[in-house]
């Protein structure tokens, strides 16, 4: 118990959660709706949460299996179920799935011949200059913009049906995710009046979607993400999370408290 307490619950000064740096300030001001990535030399896992930044990566001991599989394609370009881990980190900056996952910015460091060096002028050879452009820098850090990123909520008029693993293998084989969306089942869909919206957040049982306060079916897209059918034009889209496991646990808790309370009440009366 002491080992895990000291390993996973370190203490740092509060000022480290409010750093004022050009690269951090830029990301906070320009990442609305988009995600970031970073190389391992810039930020320890999950520390981006202090700044309100989002990323597909990080440390997550409760990562859903479906997302762990998608991340293996995101990181390696192939579906490898033998190397799934709670540590989701990548340095595959050429992965096309960065676009699908809404990664618009990459936080990295100045390099000279592939080695971190504050005298460097760019991020080095690992980043395709046709895809990434430098937007801000400080003494040693850089922010690169991914110019091919997709919008956080992409709309589709065409789809194909595949199982989860088939979808992931299709992505690994270069499936054109810009023109078609892969769904786990056939939707009730009128392409004349409706669109299928990809919400590139994790699918998990318990998510409920509402369009103009009317519940809609939440579909699984690309083996791990969420999608819903929406009308063309203006509408209000909302998601809530009410898993059956939570409701069952709440019910059992209330029942247990009720039985315990009744037992204590009887005991006091008999006493």
């Amino acid at each position: 118990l002491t080992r895990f307490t000291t390993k996973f619950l370190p203490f740092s000064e509060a000022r480290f959660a409010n750093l004022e740096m050009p690269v951090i300030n830029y990301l906070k001001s320009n990442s609305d709706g988009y995600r970031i990535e970073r190389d391992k030399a810039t930020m320890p896992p999950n520390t981006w949460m202090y700044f309100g930044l989002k990323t597909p990566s990080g440390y997550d001991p409760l990562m859903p299996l479906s997302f762990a599989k998608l991340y293996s394609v995101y990181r390696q370009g192939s579906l490898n179920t033998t190397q799934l881990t709670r540590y989701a980190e990548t340095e595959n900056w050429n992965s096309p799935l960065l676009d699908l996952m809404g990664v618009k910015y990459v936080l990295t460091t100045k390099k000279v011949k592939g080695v971190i060096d504050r005298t460097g002028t760019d991020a080095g050879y690992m980043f395709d200059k046709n895809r990434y452009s430098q937007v801000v820098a400080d003494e040693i850090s850089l922010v690169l913009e991914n110019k091919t990123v997709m919008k956080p909520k992409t709309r589709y008029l065409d789809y194909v049906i595949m199982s989860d693993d088939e979808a992931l293998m299709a992505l690994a084989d270069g499936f054109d995710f810009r023109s078609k969306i892969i769904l786990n089942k056939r939707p009730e869909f009128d392409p004349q009046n409706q669109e299928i919206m990809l919400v590139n957040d994790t699918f998990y049982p318990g998510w409920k979607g509402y369009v103009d306060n009317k519940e809609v079916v939440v579909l699984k897209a690309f083996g791990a993400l969420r999608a819903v059918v929406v009308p063309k034009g203006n509408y209000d889209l909302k998601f809530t999370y009410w898993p059956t496991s939570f409701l069952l646990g709440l019910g059992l808790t209330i029942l247990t408290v009720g039985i315990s309370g009744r037992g204590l009440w009887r005991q006091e009366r008999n006493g």
Side-chain angles (χ1 to χ4, degrees):
L1 179 61
T2 303
R3 174 182 181 273
F4 287 101
T5 299
T6 56
K7 181 177 181 181
F8 293 112
L9 294 176
F11 293 92
S12 301
E13 295 180 38
R15 62 186 177 89
F16 292 124
N18 296 286
L19 295 176
E20 290 291 329
M21 300 171 60
V23 292
I24 296 297
N25 292 342
Y26 183 90
L27 292 173
K28 289 167 66 176
S29 300
N30 294 276
S31 297
D32 185 35
Y34 289 95
R35 293 188 172 94
I36 72 158
E37 269 293 359
R38 97 289 181 232
D39 66 33
K40 297 177 183 179
T42 57
M43 302 175 84
N46 298 8
T47 53
W48 44 79
M49 292 190 293
Y50 293 128
F51 312 109
L53 303 173
K54 299 177 182 179
T55 173
S57 303
Y59 174 84
D60 186 357
L62 298 177
M63 184 185 301
L65 177 60
S66 59
F67 185 80
K69 289 181 176 181
L70 174 61
Y71 197 89
S72 75
V73 180
Y74 174 85
R75 177 176 57 196
Q76 301 170 179
S78 62
L79 178 58
N80 187 343
T81 58
T82 63
Q83 295 183 1
L84 302 181
T85 171
R86 62 187 182 274
Y87 291 97
E89 295 185 296
T90 186
E91 290 186 337
N92 182 10
W93 311 122
N94 294 319
S95 172
L97 295 196
L98 271 76
D99 298 343
L100 178 65
M101 297 299 293
V103 176
K104 188 174 182 178
Y105 298 107
V106 178
L107 177 62
T108 184
T109 56
K110 297 177 181 178
K111 297 181 179 68
V112 174
K113 296 182 179 180
V115 178
I116 297 174
D117 191 327
R118 66 183 67 245
T119 66
T121 58
D122 59 33
Y125 63 89
M126 293 191 300
F127 293 92
D128 180 356
K129 289 182 172 57
N130 292 319
R131 183 179 185 184
Y132 295 98
S133 61
Q134 181 177 316
V135 290
V136 68
D138 60 19
E139 186 175 351
I140 196 168
S141 302
L142 302 169
V143 173
L144 305 180
E145 180 178 350
N146 175 15
K147 294 180 288 187
T148 60
V149 66
M150 292 169 57
K151 293 181 179 179
K153 294 179 175 62
T154 302
R155 296 166 175 82
Y156 294 87
L157 292 175
D158 200 1
Y159 66 89
V160 295
I161 306 299
M162 296 185 189
S163 68
D164 294 352
D165 283 354
E166 286 174 340
L168 296 171
M169 287 187 287
L171 288 174
D173 290 338
F175 180 85
D176 182 10
F177 52 76
R178 297 179 186 274
S179 62
K180 291 184 181 181
I181 187 171
I182 303 177
L183 301 175
N184 65 327
K185 61 182 179 181
R186 191 173 305 279
E188 293 186 8
F189 173 55
D190 174 13
Q192 298 298 321
N193 301 297
Q194 295 175 310
E195 301 169 311
I196 302 172
M197 176 182 284
L198 171 68
V199 181
N200 55 11
D201 286 330
T202 307
F203 176 94
Y204 201 75
W207 279 108
K208 297 182 182 295
Y210 299 87
V211 174
D212 294 331
N213 294 318
K214 181 180 179 181
E215 187 171 354
V216 295
V217 177
V218 178
L219 302 161
K220 183 184 285 189
F222 298 114
L225 306 177
R226 272 181 275 147
V228 291
V229 175
V230 298
K232 293 181 179 179
N234 297 324
Y235 53 86
D236 178 57
L237 175 63
K238 179 176 68 175
F239 286 97
T240 61
Y241 185 61
W242 285 98
T244 303
S245 56
F246 172 78
L247 297 175
L248 180 61
L250 178 62
L252 290 173
T253 300
I254 293 173
L255 179 62
T256 301
V257 171
I259 293 173
S260 300
R262 184 176 177 84
L264 290 173
W265 179 72
R266 284 184 174 179
Q267 187 175 7
E268 288 181 1
R269 286 191 62 186
N270 295 335

